[in-house]
Amino acid sequence: MNCKVKTNNTAESRCKLELGLYRRVILLPLGARFTGLDENNQEQSIEEWIEAGIHAAEPENRFYPMPLFTNCEDNSEDNTEWTNGYGTTYVVREGAFAFTQNFERDVCLTRRLLDFNGQTFRALIVDNQNNIQGVQLADGFTGETCSVWVSQPKANSASEFSEPSIRYSFTNPDEHKKREIRQSDLAYGDIKGLEDVKFVDNGNDTFQIVTADCGNIDVTAELSALSGETTAWLKDGVNPTTAPTYSAGSFSIPASGDWSLADPSVLYGLGVANKAMDEETELTKQ
């Protein structure tokens, strides 16, 4: 019987990469992989891959940037060890990687994030120098597999406020051994998720677009690039023959019907980022 010794050469790396201060996690579908090529076999950078994932047409295929960190606590398990009667200690099982982040108090965002609880995703970690940590698998670069749990803030005290938190529990220690760090030009502060919007009929053959919760903030001007673009709109579930046009802070209503925006991938291709609309709104032309 041959007992093979498993080793590697031990010279220091010429390019020493390690993750710095954690700033943001991006949750990915389990099947997401970065290969350097898009779905049409065209070259694709990691920055383009992330943005395309954020703006994917279907929610189950999207990437979800989580809030910026305001604190991080390591919750990783220690290795499980066993010591025999003569005092020799062996590692039986490696501990799993885990951590909890806090984020700024935001009751509307926290409420939305609760929907992630108990589900399994892959997670990329972005640091303060815009480095991205993931794992290199046989079929491409991706995030480590983890379960997610969002917790509401606890009671505020006389001396401090409580912040909501997100715990990431990584489920495969073997994946963590394959972790890899990619340098990126995509600034962690510029990686944003989608914002839900809705239409408001003004009653004078025009409508405005506002945020769908917590404030109904007017964002009509941010979507002005969609003026006249028939592919950007849906009327009764299909692209209209005549699209709304933008003027003086409102869009026109070309015809009565149930209107909505096209999916985020279409909007992104037309120059409008980080917007999504899942519900139709009845708009009436007088």
Side-chain angles (χ1 to χ4, degrees), residues 83-273:
T83 303
N84 65 20
Y86 277 25
T88 304
T89 299
Y90 300 88
V91 174
V92 177
R93 182 178 66 85
E94 290 186 75
F97 178 48
F99 61 86
T100 298
Q101 75 155 102
N102 292 101
F103 60 97
E104 287 190 0
R105 298 177 302 145
D106 182 337
V107 64
C108 293
L109 176 59
T110 304
R111 189 170 61 236
R112 292 196 300 273
L113 293 178
L114 292 173
D115 284 345
F116 288 83
N117 283 357
Q119 298 185 71
T120 301
F121 299 89
R122 290 189 173 274
L124 298 175
I125 306 171
V126 186
D127 75 1
N128 59 327
Q129 298 299 314
N130 307 318
N131 297 311
I132 300 173
Q133 178 175 292
V135 293
Q136 183 63 45
L137 303 180
D139 56 350
F141 180 73
T142 186
E144 290 186 55
T145 308
C146 72
S147 61
V148 177
W149 195 267
V150 180
S151 295
Q152 297 273 19
K154 298 178 181 178
N156 296 329
S157 71
S159 60
E160 62 184 25
F161 292 131
S162 174
E163 291 181 322
S165 64
I166 309 171
R167 181 184 173 99
Y168 306 92
S169 299
F170 294 81
T171 57
N172 189 344
D174 287 336
E175 277 192 350
H176 197 57
K177 298 175 187 175
K178 301 174 184 177
R179 68 188 182 94
E180 186 171 298
I181 296 172
R182 301 288 183 96
Q183 294 176 308
S184 170
D185 294 327
L186 190 59
Y188 66 83
D190 293 337
I191 304 172
K192 301 183 185 301
L194 300 183
E195 181 177 43
D196 292 312
V197 297
K198 64 182 180 180
F199 298 156
V200 176
D201 192 333
N202 292 332
N204 58 356
D205 290 347
T206 66
F207 66 97
Q208 291 177 300
I209 305 174
V210 302
T211 55
D213 63 359
C214 287
N216 292 333
I217 306 300
D218 184 1
V219 294
T220 311
E222 297 177 25
L223 291 93
S224 60
L226 306 182
S227 179
E229 297 282 357
T230 56
T231 57
W233 308 88
L234 297 174
K235 177 182 174 292
D236 301 325
V238 297
N239 294 130
T241 54
T242 303
T245 54
Y246 177 81
S247 178
S250 298
F251 279 96
S252 65
I253 301 175
S256 298
D258 292 328
W259 287 83
S260 64
L261 293 173
D263 70 66
S265 67
V266 175
L267 304 185
Y268 188 62
L270 294 171
V272 173

